[in-house]
Amino acid sequence: MKTSIATVSISGDFQEKLASIAAAGFDGLEIFENDFLAYDGGPREVGRMIRDAGLEITLFQPFRDFEGMPEPHRSRAFDRAERKFDVMQELGTDLMLICSNTSQAALGGIDRAADDLAELGERAARRGLRVGFEALAWGRHVNDHRDAWEIVRRADHASIGLILDSFHTLARKTDVNTIRSIPCDKIFIVQLADAPLIDMDLLYWSRHFRNMPGQGDLDVVGFMRAVAATGYDGVLSLEIFNDQFRGGSPKSISIDGRRSLITLMDEVARAEPEIAIAPPAMPDRISVSGIEFVEFTADEREAGDLAGLFRSLGFARAGRHVSKDVEVWRQGAINLVINTEKEGFAHSAYLMHGTSVCDIGLKVEDATATVSRARALLADPFEQPAGPGELKIPAIRGVGGGVMHFIDDKTELAQVWEIEFEPVTGDPASGGKPQGVGLTRIDHLAQTMNYEEMLTWMLFYTAIFDTAKAPMVDVIDPAGVVRSQAIESPDMALRLTLNGAENRRTLAGRFVAESFGSSVQHIAFQTADILATAEALAGNGFQALEIPANYYGDVEARFGLDPDFVASLKACNILYDRDDRGEFLQLYSRTYGDGFFFEVVERRDGYRGYGAANAPFRIAAQHRLMRPKGMPKG
Ligand code: MG
Ligand code: MG
């Protein structure tokens, strides 16, 4: 499989685009004509630059509104085509894309279009060039790949073929299985794009909202399975028009693109082993059975504050690292690690972001296989020299630069806590063992990033791990909207929520700005009885985030709750929500540092969400507590 991407898909000037596309490992690129026209250099020079970057030009899209025109438009269209053929020869590419005519002047008529393409094919053949015809979903007379294929079939010319584009086929809900009967040698190139399901004008949807396969809601896998069934093994080219990508980092969007194609072909190979172009080249999506640990980096003073917070949440200091300034705090199946080393990754993360989560440990079936899938999907490896008594724990870099470690039961990794840590019994710092409060496991980790980076994070997690994305919800902060999307494993052993901040004044935006990057902003713990937990927390001196009395009047009326039950929620600052399955009860810590906090949740009867309806009240309460910007801490 050869991979390619249209230059229109990413931001930057032509040279930046080239460098990013080459660095992400693509074989080639499609030149979008405006990118070429805006470049201050002739076609020969552009062609040479592209080849020097190790890329080929897979396709050139220089003009539209060609077929089925009355005179004098028809003659002019052929003249334009000849001039573009000249450019193509200088660029050094042989394939031109013609999309179906959208002009009011187009006459229609399938044989008229076929005749025009046959004549164009004759002219292209004289120069050793080829032309591919693509049905635009909003074409005036041709808007379906079946009609485009019929035109190509009737044109019956070796230099005329079909171009398939997943967006145009899937946006019109055309049956993808109709692709299976097209001969593969007549498919000149396949363009791929996904998109979120939004009910809007097709042209506007296509020009602004396309995204990488796997980032949207279209069945691009089903489309690609049908293409693979034809025997097609040519170029797969991303053609993504997306306003966010045009403003994003060309390097990271290019990597997203390659990652999406590798994931797509892996899925196709698994779904249709008989027709796959190649067998799966990596382990299957990794099933995660839990979050083994969350590690914080801190300096000594802040580590003391953090430990105090852990203690008030009922955690006990359970172990000290055999050779490093690292300790683990434990309650139920939850391990929180504090790292105050003066060198290594955690320390550089501290210098960059301050006290923050720098490392997430996931429990998987096979840690080595996990890294090998992640590497195949272009994740960066992470290694640092193991200290005395330390295990080599397989790891990668996450999207925001943080680290992810993988623990399995196959090897001695399962005994990491016994091998690397000396047990601490009692807790001298608190004059005894603190009281547990009934926290059993991590319910979810909430990561905050700039809104433009959300799709990158989502693709990273869903490509590597056996997870799916939940629908995006809007969280209303008094200072703006924050988009929130959950990534969940089928059995909910792993729940991550991604929160995309659109501005710096929201709690989420401020967190990203002040911690200098994307990171875990809150950790939610599960309890089986939140009222008992709240009582035990109060006994430990834990201070819950205070929720206004008005909230409880509304909750009682909205859900028809028993007034005594509401009074007990109010006494403990517990928020309430309900979905079609069950109930959700949650309480929050006050914010720490630049806006980090903890959450405690009780899920009753399979409640699925995260209490989004309560978020505005939680956020308003947090805003009231945050120190004014620029004021010293404390
Ligand atoms: Mg296209
Ligand atoms: Mg939460």
Side-chain angles (χ1 to χ4, degrees):
M1 167 190 73
K2 278 192 174 177
T3 57
S4 155
I5 185 169
T7 53
V8 71
S9 312
I10 58 173
S11 69
D13 64 27
F14 199 68
Q15 266 152 324
E16 283 173 295
K17 289 182 188 215
L18 267 188
S20 305
I21 291 168
F26 283 95
D27 300 293
L29 54 76
E30 285 180 28
I31 301 185
F32 196 71
E33 195 180 33
N34 282 351
D35 279 321
F36 165 69
L37 297 179
Y39 183 71
D40 182 23
R44 279 180 205 284
E45 185 191 336
V46 169
R48 193 167 47 241
M49 271 169 56
I50 293 170
R51 282 183 292 279
D52 286 350
L55 297 165
E56 61 179 276
I57 305 168
T58 55
L59 182 65
F60 187 48
Q61 299 200 34
F63 77 107
R64 38 190 67 229
D65 295 338
F66 169 76
E67 85 285 2
M69 291 297 242
E71 289 296 357
H73 302 286
R74 185 177 184 280
S75 299
R76 274 194 221 131
F78 276 96
D79 290 346
R80 275 191 297 153
E82 292 283 2
R83 294 196 34 205
K84 299 301 178 185
F85 285 159
D86 295 341
V87 175
M88 285 172 67
Q89 287 182 302
E90 290 189 56
L91 278 168
T93 183
D94 77 330
L95 182 59
M96 173 193 275
L97 181 148
I98 302 248
C99 52
S100 58
N101 202 325
T102 61
S103 163
Q104 297 291 328
L107 297 170
I110 214 153
D111 285 316
R112 179 177 289 108
D115 289 347
D116 286 348
L117 282 176
E119 183 178 337
L120 190 64
E122 201 49 41
R123 296 186 188 210
R126 271 179 229 138
R127 303 175 185 238
L129 303 177
R130 300 177 302 148
V131 175
F133 184 57
E134 174 195 49
L136 287 181
W138 53 90
R140 184 155 168 78
H141 302 292
V142 177
N143 53 37
D144 183 318
H145 69 251
R146 291 170 293 194
D147 292 335
W149 163 232
E150 182 58 22
I151 289 168
V152 167
R153 204 181 64 78
R154 292 190 191 197
D156 191 22
H157 195 286
S159 296
I160 296 294
L162 181 68
I163 292 182
L164 291 168
D165 180 319
S166 62
F167 180 87
H168 295 302
T169 294
L170 296 168
R172 293 195 72 96
K173 302 189 176 72
T174 308
D175 179 6
V176 292
N177 290 310
T178 55
I179 293 170
R180 291 184 186 245
S181 56
I182 301 172
C184 67
D185 61 317
K186 295 305 284 183
I187 303 174
F188 279 4
I189 197 167
V190 173
Q191 293 182 312
L192 293 166
D194 201 339
L197 277 182
I198 311 173
D199 196 14
M200 66 166 73
D201 171 67
L202 285 173
L203 173 61
Y204 196 79
W205 187 25
S206 173
R207 290 277 165 81
H208 300 275
F209 292 93
R210 287 185 178 214
N211 54 25
M212 305 295 179
Q215 290 181 332
D217 301 316
L218 302 180
D219 183 15
V220 185
V221 174
F223 173 89
M224 201 50 223
R225 284 172 66 173
V227 170
T230 69
Y232 177 83
D233 66 351
V235 174
L236 301 181
S237 193
L238 295 164
E239 189 196 29
I240 316 290
F241 306 94
N242 183 302
D243 299 344
Q244 240 170 276
F245 294 179
R246 284 179 188 140
S249 143
K251 185 165 171 268
S252 116
I253 302 292
S254 298
I255 290 172
D256 288 351
R258 272 264 293 159
R259 178 172 289 147
S260 77
L261 289 179
I262 298 168
T263 310
L264 176 66
M265 293 317 291
D266 182 60
E267 273 186 85
V268 170
R270 286 172 204 285
E272 307 245 3
E274 294 82 11
I275 56 170
I277 295 161
M282 58 180 141
D284 201 353
R285 275 201 168 86
I286 304 299
S287 165
V288 177
S289 58
I291 297 170
E292 182 69 23
F293 67 85
V294 177
E295 181 169 328
F296 292 79
T297 176
D299 71 4
E300 265 149 35
R301 188 182 60 78
E302 288 173 352
D305 295 347
L306 204 52
L309 195 56
F310 291 176
R311 196 177 288 115
S312 73
L313 278 157
F315 285 82
R317 196 193 317 254
R320 230 177 244 113
H321 197 273
V322 292
S323 61
K324 289 183 168 170
D325 289 329
V326 175
E327 54 186 37
V328 58
W329 290 70
R330 186 169 294 144
Q331 181 173 191
I334 310 161
N335 294 301
L336 300 180
V337 174
I338 305 180
N339 187 324
T340 48
E341 281 281 289
K342 293 288 183 295
E343 54 189 38
F345 166 71
H347 187 61
S348 39
Y350 176 78
L351 295 179
M352 177 82 182
H353 307 291
T355 298
S356 55
V357 171
C358 62
D359 197 336
I360 297 169
L362 296 183
K363 188 82 185 285
V364 296
E365 201 193 319
D366 183 334
T368 309
T370 305
V371 169
S372 107
R373 179 169 177 95
R375 294 291 309 276
L377 289 165
L378 314 177
D380 289 327
F382 174 80
E383 274 184 43
Q384 69 181 4
E390 273 194 309
L391 300 175
K392 244 355 222 154
I393 307 177
I396 57 167
R397 288 269 182 180
V399 186
V403 168
M404 304 185 82
H405 276 95
F406 305 108
I407 305 282
D408 63 30
D409 278 334
K410 288 197 154 168
T411 58
E412 57 180 1
L413 291 177
Q415 281 87 48
V416 61
W417 303 113
E418 291 76 24
I419 295 172
E420 288 198 7
F421 289 81
E422 283 161 358
V424 177
T425 45
D427 193 345
S430 68
K433 202 173 166 63
Q435 289 295 309
V437 300
L439 305 182
T440 54
R441 59 182 293 256
I442 290 176
D443 184 85
H444 61 275
L445 294 181
Q447 292 183 295
T448 300
M449 68 265 334
N450 289 316
Y451 173 62
E452 307 81 67
E453 300 163 356
M454 272 184 95
L455 285 173
T456 299
W457 286 72
M458 192 269 286
L459 181 67
F460 177 85
Y461 287 128
T462 55
I464 298 173
F465 304 104
D466 182 18
T467 52
K469 58 184 198 291
M472 194 175 283
V473 292
D474 292 344
V475 171
I476 308 303
D477 180 299
V481 176
V482 175
R483 316 262 177 209
S484 185
Q485 181 157 47
I487 309 285
E488 302 165 327
S489 63
D491 60 359
M492 301 292 159
L494 178 66
R495 285 184 171 107
L496 302 167
T497 60
L498 308 181
N499 298 286
E502 289 196 345
N503 73 48
R504 290 179 162 219
R505 298 185 311 281
T506 58
L507 193 79
R510 182 162 155 176
F511 176 76
V512 173
E514 298 211 355
S515 58
F516 298 99
S518 334
S519 181
V520 172
Q521 189 173 9
H522 78 260
I523 303 177
F525 305 118
Q526 266 181 26
T527 170
D529 182 349
I530 199 169
L531 288 163
T533 294
E535 200 174 311
L537 284 170
N540 277 350
F542 171 86
Q543 287 191 304
L545 181 74
E546 277 182 56
I547 304 300
N550 293 345
Y551 167 82
Y552 293 96
D554 173 62
V555 156
E556 187 177 322
R558 194 150 41 97
F559 294 105
L561 297 175
D562 174 56
D564 290 344
F565 175 59
V566 174
S568 58
L569 298 180
K570 183 175 172 214
C572 302
N573 291 297
I574 296 171
L575 296 148
Y576 180 91
D577 191 29
R578 194 194 285 159
D579 67 7
D580 53 357
R581 297 177 178 219
E583 297 173 298
F584 188 61
L585 293 89
Q586 52 183 170
L587 66 84
Y588 291 94
S589 75
R590 297 180 163 202
T591 51
Y592 174 85
D594 297 320
F596 178 86
F597 56 96
F598 290 101
E599 178 184 5
V600 174
V601 309
E602 179 187 341
R603 293 180 182 274
R604 293 182 178 173
D605 309 315
Y607 173 91
R608 289 292 299 269
Y610 299 84
N614 291 325
F617 315 114
R618 182 259 297 173
I619 293 168
Q622 288 171 325
H623 269 290
R624 284 194 290 275
L625 279 180
M626 293 286 286
R627 67 197 155 87
K629 217 173 152 60
M631 293 283 283
K633 292 183 190 181

